[in-house]
Amino acid sequence: MSRKINCGKSHGHFGQYGAAGLLIHRYRDTGEVEILLCRRARHTDDEGLWGTIGGAIIPGETVHECALREVEEEIGIKAGDICIPTAQTTDDHGTWKYTTIFATPAEGLQIPDLTLNRAELSEVSWISRQELQNYILHPAFENWIYDLLDILLPPDIDPQTRSIVRPSKLKKR
Ligand SMILES: [Zn+2]
């Protein structure tokens, strides 16, 4: 277990080499983007909070290797079950960074297909942009998801008008 280190923003973070995770996303039939988030289990740091699936980087590991290892450990998705990451973003806290890699699942991937690591996670869910406001998000995730969702994920398409629904309609809590 790695010790906590202090970042340039006065937080305590796990992972001497930073951390990485996968933000798995896909489209609903309605055209909305949904993202796969997990809820941290009881007795973990961040208990009860929702966020991306990921964790601390092991020495010698790349951010991609870390994200794929964490996803396999936490929800049982193997590298072959997701499409090659298309984009990534880094939340830079100075001495500590969290890199989020964007990926899409193999077609037809369902939550019952996943094998949850119950020591770490209590549940996973597909959540649309609009639904995000109904979940208690991990503060670090919440801080950037609203700001970057518009840039990093394709906008939702209204199924009736086929027009683009801008996520900026979302209100920050
Ligand atoms: Zn920090």
Side-chain angles (χ1 to χ4, degrees):
M1 196 56 176
S2 48
R3 284 180 302 122
K4 274 194 173 178
I5 64 149
N6 293 314
C7 74
K9 294 186 176 179
S10 306
H11 312 129
H13 294 289
F14 283 109
Q16 192 180 349
Y17 304 95
L22 271 192
L23 187 63
I24 300 172
H25 67 282
R26 65 183 184 188
Y27 280 97
R28 293 182 180 174
D29 293 341
T30 57
E32 284 177 295
V33 172
E34 59 180 8
I35 57 182
L36 188 67
L37 295 185
C38 64
R39 189 179 196 194
R40 292 282 146 198
R42 289 180 62 119
H43 310 302
T44 61
D45 255 36
D46 312 325
E47 166 177 342
L49 299 176
W50 288 83
T52 45
I53 298 150
I57 294 170
I58 290 172
E61 215 175 31
T62 67
V63 288
H64 281 76
E65 287 164 349
C66 172
L68 290 172
R69 174 181 54 72
E70 288 285 344
V71 162
E72 183 165 356
E73 286 174 3
E74 296 196 352
I75 60 174
I77 288 187
K78 293 186 167 46
D81 296 333
I82 51 171
C83 292
I84 294 166
T86 51
Q88 68 185 55
T89 177
T90 298
D91 191 15
D92 190 344
H93 293 203
T95 55
W96 185 88
K97 296 178 173 63
Y98 192 103
T99 299
T100 301
I101 294 163
F102 287 69
T104 51
E107 203 167 332
L109 181 76
Q110 299 298 326
I111 283 178
D113 300 335
L114 304 177
T115 307
L116 297 199
N117 177 346
R118 294 286 175 186
E120 300 274 340
L121 309 178
S122 58
E123 52 184 315
V124 294
S125 186
W126 287 106
I127 300 170
S128 74
R129 290 170 206 258
Q130 277 73 17
E131 290 162 356
L132 270 177
Q133 57 204 311
N134 302 325
Y135 290 79
I136 301 172
L137 302 178
H138 188 285
F141 174 67
E142 184 174 30
N143 279 344
W144 67 257
I145 191 67
Y146 286 106
D147 295 339
L148 297 183
L149 208 47
D150 196 18
I151 303 166
L152 294 165
L153 292 179
D156 295 338
I157 306 294
D158 184 294
Q160 306 300 322
T161 64
R162 307 305 299 167
S163 63
I164 290 171
V165 180
R166 308 307 297 187
S168 52
K169 285 182 181 171
L170 284 174
K171 284 204 185 72
K172 241 181 160 169
R173 286 183 300 126

Tab-separated table of all heavy atoms in Angstrom, residues 6-13 92-93 96, ligand 1:
chain	number	residue	atom	x	y	z
A	6	ASN	N	1.703	14.691	-0.476
A	6	ASN	CA	1.035	15.984	-0.567
A	6	ASN	C	1.310	16.605	-1.930
A	6	ASN	O	2.446	16.638	-2.389
A	6	ASN	CB	1.518	16.903	0.547
A	6	ASN	CG	1.085	16.397	1.904
A	6	ASN	OD1	-0.074	16.028	2.091
A	6	ASN	ND2	2.013	16.338	2.837
A	7	CYS	N	0.259	17.059	-2.572
A	7	CYS	CA	0.402	17.661	-3.895
A	7	CYS	C	0.554	19.172	-3.765
A	7	CYS	O	0.506	19.726	-2.668
A	7	CYS	CB	-0.800	17.323	-4.763
A	7	CYS	SG	-2.286	18.234	-4.310
A	8	GLY	N	0.724	19.828	-4.907
A	8	GLY	CA	0.870	21.277	-4.920
A	8	GLY	C	-0.412	22.018	-4.560
A	8	GLY	O	-0.416	23.240	-4.419
A	9	LYS	N	-1.535	21.258	-4.427
A	9	LYS	CA	-2.803	21.906	-4.076
A	9	LYS	C	-3.221	21.568	-2.643
A	9	LYS	O	-4.388	21.683	-2.291
A	9	LYS	CB	-3.895	21.486	-5.057
A	9	LYS	CG	-3.654	21.996	-6.485
A	9	LYS	CD	-4.819	21.675	-7.381
A	9	LYS	CE	-4.606	22.270	-8.774
A	9	LYS	NZ	-5.711	21.962	-9.694
A	10	SER	N	-2.243	21.084	-1.861
A	10	SER	CA	-2.478	20.790	-0.439
A	10	SER	C	-3.487	19.666	-0.189
A	10	SER	O	-4.188	19.674	0.810
A	10	SER	CB	-2.925	22.051	0.323
A	10	SER	OG	-2.001	23.083	0.126
A	11	HIS	N	-3.576	18.715	-1.103
A	11	HIS	CA	-4.348	17.497	-0.848
A	11	HIS	C	-3.384	16.384	-0.457
A	11	HIS	O	-2.201	16.452	-0.778
A	11	HIS	CB	-5.087	16.991	-2.107
A	11	HIS	CG	-5.853	18.011	-2.852
A	11	HIS	ND1	-5.720	18.193	-4.209
A	11	HIS	CD2	-6.794	18.894	-2.446
A	11	HIS	CE1	-6.533	19.150	-4.604
A	11	HIS	NE2	-7.191	19.601	-3.560
A	12	GLY	N	-3.910	15.342	0.178
A	12	GLY	CA	-3.145	14.113	0.348
A	12	GLY	C	-3.612	13.106	-0.695
A	12	GLY	O	-4.812	12.892	-0.862
A	13	HIS	N	-2.680	12.535	-1.459
A	13	HIS	CA	-3.046	11.575	-2.514
A	13	HIS	C	-2.260	10.290	-2.345
A	13	HIS	O	-1.108	10.321	-1.925
A	13	HIS	CB	-2.692	12.126	-3.900
A	13	HIS	CG	-3.474	13.320	-4.320
A	13	HIS	ND1	-4.797	13.263	-4.650
A	13	HIS	CD2	-3.096	14.616	-4.476
A	13	HIS	CE1	-5.203	14.472	-5.002
A	13	HIS	NE2	-4.215	15.316	-4.897
A	92	ASP	N	-3.293	17.924	-13.227
A	92	ASP	CA	-1.941	18.108	-12.704
A	92	ASP	C	-1.969	18.893	-11.394
A	92	ASP	O	-2.361	20.050	-11.370
A	92	ASP	CB	-1.104	18.865	-13.760
A	92	ASP	CG	0.372	18.890	-13.396
A	92	ASP	OD1	0.735	18.614	-12.241
A	92	ASP	OD2	1.176	19.207	-14.298
A	93	HIS	N	-1.563	18.222	-10.326
A	93	HIS	CA	-1.510	18.885	-9.014
A	93	HIS	C	-0.060	19.150	-8.607
A	93	HIS	O	0.264	19.084	-7.428
A	93	HIS	CB	-2.182	18.019	-7.942
A	93	HIS	CG	-3.658	17.877	-8.129
A	93	HIS	ND1	-4.508	17.563	-7.093
A	93	HIS	CD2	-4.439	17.999	-9.223
A	93	HIS	CE1	-5.752	17.492	-7.554
A	93	HIS	NE2	-5.733	17.746	-8.837
A	96	TRP	N	1.836	15.617	-7.956
A	96	TRP	CA	0.968	14.457	-8.142
A	96	TRP	C	0.050	14.743	-9.327
A	96	TRP	O	-0.430	15.866	-9.497
A	96	TRP	CB	0.139	14.203	-6.875
A	96	TRP	CG	-0.697	12.964	-6.913
A	96	TRP	CD1	-0.311	11.707	-6.535
A	96	TRP	CD2	-2.060	12.857	-7.327
A	96	TRP	NE1	-1.351	10.826	-6.698
A	96	TRP	CE2	-2.438	11.498	-7.178
A	96	TRP	CE3	-3.017	13.760	-7.823
A	96	TRP	CZ2	-3.707	11.031	-7.507
A	96	TRP	CZ3	-4.277	13.293	-8.144
A	96	TRP	CH2	-4.610	11.946	-7.981
B	1	ZN	ZN	-4.127	17.322	-5.263
